[in-house]
Amino acid sequence: MNYDERQHLVYARARALPPETMTEWLRAFARHAPAGRPLTVLDLGSGTGRFTPLLAEEFGGPVYGVEPSVRMREVAEAGAAHPAVTYLEGSATEIPLPDASCDLVLLFLVLHHVRDHQAAAAEIARVLRPGGRVLIRSSFPDRMPELLWYSYFPGARLVDEQVFPRMEPLVEDFAEAGLAYVTVDRVQERIADSLSDYADRLRLRGSSTFERLTEEEILDGFAALDAAVDTERVARPVDEESDLLVLERS
């Protein structure tokens, strides 16, 4: 997925979450982070910096946003600056940080873009201190939630089932690198305050899944979604359940 072509232009708007949802995610991260403060945090695959400054506020230590896309990093750097945040070029298999330099690593909707999970697990384990934790927000085909947009774009579910990693082999890959399974937290999140707002966000095509659908599927999906929006008399919030996989460095 080449985010430098188009996605960097729309990603921040298309993936924006209501403030209460961002707060809920930060609470979830804090629940599973090591107890001490401040913490050094790696936001791996930080994109446009959606969470990066907030992680610095929450955990009080330096936060490194590592992102392979030049354009996505440029958007992040042009956004809300924070003195504790540094954005760096890198990837899940090439992290530009020293050994045992981080207490917490966040991968938020990142691993489905990583081809070699074993190499990524080894690299993440390298930069984590003993007792450090990894938080992986992902969809897992063996636990796939019923997302609303699958009702209008059924091909999207098929794509996601093929693209996202299955949990059991992923946990095994990370365990081999010394990152042990702790738990899976299912987080309730509000995506949009109404079906109309939800449709407007989807129209930006900020999800990489859109790149794997045909234009006919996309047009048909938006036609069905627009018809549903036209019948919305009272704003209906769009809520979803998302998995946060928690691992720990031994």
Side-chain angles (χ1 to χ4, degrees):
M1 181 67 198
N2 187 351
Y3 280 88
D4 286 336
E5 288 184 356
R6 186 192 73 86
Q7 289 283 340
H8 69 282
L9 297 171
V10 301
Y11 192 87
R13 287 179 293 146
R15 292 297 200 163
L17 294 170
E20 62 269 25
T21 302
M22 298 295 284
T23 298
E24 186 58 38
W25 275 115
L26 288 171
R27 286 174 180 159
F29 302 156
R31 274 199 302 273
H32 301 292
R37 298 291 186 274
L39 299 178
T40 299
V41 182
L42 168 58
D43 187 4
L44 187 52
S46 52
T48 57
R50 171 166 50 171
F51 285 105
T52 323
L54 296 175
L55 292 169
E57 290 293 328
E58 179 68 30
F59 296 109
V63 176
Y64 299 96
V66 171
E67 168 59 45
S69 166
V70 174
R71 299 298 188 191
M72 296 282 271
R73 286 200 315 276
E74 288 176 350
V75 174
E77 289 166 348
H82 193 289
V85 169
T86 303
Y87 292 103
L88 300 169
E89 180 180 6
S91 68
T93 54
E94 293 184 51
I95 301 172
L97 293 175
D99 294 358
S101 57
C102 298
D103 302 295
L104 183 68
V105 178
L106 172 66
L107 296 96
F108 199 97
L109 293 174
V110 170
L111 270 183
H112 58 295
H113 295 304
V114 178
R115 292 184 178 180
D116 191 337
H117 290 157
Q118 290 181 328
E123 184 69 345
I124 292 166
R126 178 186 69 78
V127 301
L128 262 184
R129 297 184 178 111
R133 287 198 163 184
V134 184
L135 308 179
I136 299 174
R137 155 69 174 103
S138 183
S139 293
F140 300 99
D142 34 353
R143 294 170 53 94
M144 193 68 78
E146 291 297 331
L147 303 182
L148 179 61
W149 81 305
Y150 292 158
S151 302
Y152 303 101
F153 304 89
R157 183 184 183 104
L158 298 176
V159 169
D160 286 353
E161 287 176 343
Q162 295 172 353
V163 169
F164 280 94
R166 300 184 88 70
M167 183 170 291
E168 185 174 345
L170 183 70
V171 168
E172 290 176 357
D173 287 340
F174 277 77
E176 288 177 5
L179 298 165
Y181 173 87
V182 176
T183 190
V184 177
D185 193 352
R186 180 144 280 195
V187 179
Q188 300 285 334
E189 58 175 329
R190 177 147 297 175
I191 303 301
D193 292 327
S194 69
L195 191 60
S196 177
D197 289 345
Y198 185 66
D200 289 342
R201 284 175 40 133
L202 284 179
R203 217 177 304 280
L204 294 169
R205 303 191 191 187
S207 169
S208 59
T209 301
F210 276 115
E211 306 297 328
R212 297 176 173 88
L213 299 178
T214 67
E215 194 62 23
E216 182 179 3
E217 286 178 293
I218 294 171
L219 292 175
D220 287 348
F222 278 119
L225 181 54
D226 288 341
V229 169
D230 288 341
T231 66
E232 185 180 45
R233 298 293 175 259
V234 177
R236 177 174 61 125
V238 178
D239 297 326
E240 294 180 355
E241 290 186 334
S242 301
D243 281 335
L244 184 67
L245 173 62
V246 183
L247 309 170
E248 184 172 279
R249 178 77 165 91
S250 58

